[in-house]
Amino acid sequence: MPKYFFHLLGDVPAHDLIGHECADDKEAQKYGELLAHNVGTDRPDMVRESNYISVVDASDREIYRIPLSSLSA
């Protein structure tokens, strides 16, 4: 399975050094959406336009930018 990386970018960047295997780009997008929601829910103060999850494939090509989200924000 291909490996994808899920970087938190914006005010407080955090780079994914380990990655996560996903079946395809669509599954990587869904996993990135889950991460964006989890981060936004845990840290609602970070939900703003400048903060997002960057989904990157093994070739270091960004395939999705997913804004952080939260039910409480």
Side-chain angles (χ1 to χ4, degrees):
M1 269 203 268
K3 187 174 271 195
Y4 295 84
F5 297 87
F6 301 85
H7 307 304
L8 172 62
L9 298 179
D11 298 337
V12 184
H15 292 276
D16 177 7
L17 302 176
I18 298 171
H20 184 80
E21 290 183 346
C22 297
D24 54 26
D25 289 359
K26 224 34 182 167
E27 185 178 310
Q29 179 185 21
K30 288 181 182 182
Y31 187 74
E33 290 169 351
L34 177 66
L35 289 175
H37 179 73
N38 287 345
V39 171
T41 299
D42 289 346
R43 296 284 310 273
D45 57 305
M46 290 186 63
V47 177
R48 60 179 72 105
E49 196 172 314
S50 59
N51 294 325
Y52 60 93
I53 299 293
S54 173
V55 181
V56 177
D57 66 14
S59 300
D60 203 33
R61 180 180 60 101
E62 183 178 70
I63 55 175
Y64 298 107
R65 281 189 178 190
I66 304 166
L68 300 186
S69 63
S70 171
L71 294 177
S72 60

